[in-house]
Amino acid sequence: MTVEKFKVPVSMLAPMIDPGQLGFDDTGGLEPLTDIIGQERAAEALEFGLNMKSPGFNLYVSGPVGTGKGTLVRQMVKRMAQAALASSDWCYVNNFQDPSRPICLSLPAGQGVSFKREMAGFIDGLRRDIPMAFESKKYLDAKAKLHDDIDAKKKSLFQELTELSRTRGFGFEETSVGFGIVPLKSGKPMTDADMEAMTEEEQWDLNERRKTLEGEIREFHVRIHGLEIEAEHQQRHLDRQLVTNVLEGRYETMRRAYQEIPAILTFLERVRDDIVHHYKDFLPREGPTLAIPGLEFKRPDMSRFLVNLIVQHDPTEGAPVIDESHPTYTNLIGKIERRAHMGVMYTDFTEIHAGAVLLANGGYLIVNALDMLRQPFSWDALKRVIKTGEVKIEDPGEFYGFSTAGLRPEPIPVNVKVIMVGPPILYHLLQAYEEDFGKLFKVKADFDTEVERSERQDRQYARFIAKLCREEGLPHFGADAVAEILRQGLRFADRHDRLSLRFSLVSDLIREAGYWARKEGHSFVSRADVDAAVSHKRHRSNLAEHWIQDEIKEGTLMIDLDGDVVGQVNGLSVHELGDYSFGRPTRITARTYVGTKGVIDIQREAELAGMIHSKGVMTLAGFLAGKFAGSYPFAMSASVTFEQTYSEVEGDSAAVAELAAILSSLANLPIHQWLAVTGSVNQLGEIQPIGGANEKIEGFFESCSRRGLTGKQGVIIPARNTKHLALRLDVVEAVESGHFSVYAVNTIEEALELLTGIAAGERDLDGTYPSDSVFGRAAQRLEEMAQAVAEWSEGEEKPSGHIITEP
């Protein structure tokens, strides 16, 4: 048998890049990369979504970590934002009619700060000017004249009352509780003797006159009180007229400055009315003050006139771009803080703070989908904002059922483009289980993980290296180092014709190579430095692999790497440990015997097999039945297992190895133990590609090299996996020197020929296989099993040498 036809050429094992064809000596002379490599599909989707102004055309940016999603999104968003108009400033002011419902005001970009400053200056000026006006001579004279006029009227009324009382025969005398009336006789108060000397008729007349006078005195008090009320009204009118005159100039200046914003004019009118009606808040307090600590008199709070500027923008910076890294409810929507005073929590409109949505109003909001969905209320709040087009800042305590008699700020209208960044699986889950998602996020931007290699892409990779070197102060890369980075980029993609777009991995490799270059004192990074970075990173991560390979070498994990064994084959598996994965050989054994149970997967019976692995094993039964069932019943049972594995086995990449072990046991043909095999197989015997081809080859190579390469050892892979090969250079060198081999097969027949050294066999015209072929021996054995079952069913004695199992 010739095996050369199955060998994979050395040129296909790993891409070799000639540094001389890159067209430069080092990256120092290259122009740094300014765009993203190989994400044209995503860039087109982003361009469409960002320019689409209709409702619901928000974006979900999908792709694995490290593909440059965030970088491209920020670049495109910032470019578009710079060309857009700056968004409005927003502020909250006091609602003088209902302080629990603050009013929102919108101003052109940059004017919010001016309005806040001018409003504070307006109030500070009045706090200075109003007290001065009340101390002016003109005001004091007017106030004195007003009081004198009222006092004269009171005096005139009192004189009238005095004259009237004298005509009634009474006078006034001072008592401990005020003034009282006493009867007069000859102009003097009557004595007790005078009173006793009066007749009954005179006493009755005196009482009647007293009652009449008391009524007139009550009328006097009413008129006096009326004068006092009139005095208060006149005083208040005088004071308000004075305050109006004081603030009129400042008010008119403010009104003219914002005459094109009706909402501000309305607010200024209410401010003026409040100042006029509560002008005493601007005056110093008269009378003694309390000396109790904490209760000392303070001037009335003027915060009701303040402007709470919650969103401000520079008119020269374009539309806002907010990248919210921690999208909690309050960070996203906003919050109302509270202050403590004398053990009481209180709040007002000055404690309202904007969230990311308001800060991004008129622009772009970028959030991480996973981070947002982890936060209570954030997703529902964002949906509500997109649906209603407004932000309503509320106390989150209300969502938990706590009653809070707090503020109800006026909702602020928003128009924001939301860009959610997340993994692909989350997009599909939201589409399936969140009914509003498809209506709110109508644009998906998918980021790829690899791009077809070309001369242009090689150049862009080099420019990316140049950019990173300049940004982070790394030594520049020589052409040979760039070539090695390109080769590692192909390896990251598991293809020799495609470059990886996982630039987080590439960037870390560039940084580590720069570190080793500096440590060695190199002015430029060389290929040796890149190799050092790769080997050191592997050494830091491969402790588990080292343990397993040591146990294989010592024989603790039983793996035969030489000789021939019936029903035993070296399969290959991959272990994934976070950011590091490695391959290793695993012994797979099979035993066949008379029965009708078909293929028994011990892993599945022990509940140590995943669904895909179980499917692969059941596929083997379909292949065997289709290949051999015909003129006699298929009377075989076979057990197959992964030896020395104690955790779940998943995947169908061991199907070829399992089928080879079963056929080896059935045909009683030994399998070469110096070979390992991986591949999936369908019911037609076609070998299908698998994942982790590079790791599996390198894992078996590591086991062989530790025991010593013999020149016969090698790995059989599906031919459709040859395009995924990007092996380590030490493996390529071993293949090139003839110490190791990699074979590629398309069918199970080709794999069996390599594993056994015997042709699998093809059916003759009479439908039988050659007796000396793998299939011929297997068919003969199956016929014997069928006869044994038939004899046993007829009650005859069991043939010796056969194991009979109950059907």
Side-chain angles (χ1 to χ4, degrees), residues 390-444:
E390 63 181 23
V391 169
K392 187 177 181 181
I393 301 177
E394 300 173 295
D395 192 330
E398 296 182 359
F399 303 147
Y400 292 103
F402 299 126
S403 177
T404 57
L407 300 181
R408 296 290 186 273
E410 181 182 3
I412 296 180
V414 294
N415 178 23
V416 61
K417 180 72 71 173
V418 181
I419 302 105
M420 276 208 315
V421 182
I425 183 62
L426 187 56
Y427 175 83
H428 300 305
L429 289 173
L430 288 171
Q431 284 281 9
Y433 298 106
E434 175 53 72
E435 61 180 7
D436 294 323
F437 182 76
K439 295 182 288 186
L440 303 179
F441 289 85
K442 298 180 180 180
V443 182
K444 180 186 180 185

Side-chain angles (χ1 to χ4, degrees), residues 674-692:
W674 58 80
L675 294 176
V677 61
T678 182
S680 170
V681 65
N682 60 27
Q683 292 189 108
L684 302 177
E686 298 170 330
I687 295 182
Q688 303 167 147
I690 43 81

Side-chain angles (χ1 to χ4, degrees), residues 217-235:
I217 290 174
R218 286 194 294 271
E219 180 64 24
F220 166 78
H221 283 300
V222 170
R223 294 176 69 182
I224 290 295
H225 182 65
L227 286 175
E228 290 175 349
I229 293 176
E230 179 185 354
E232 289 179 2
H233 283 307
Q234 291 179 357
Q235 180 69 54

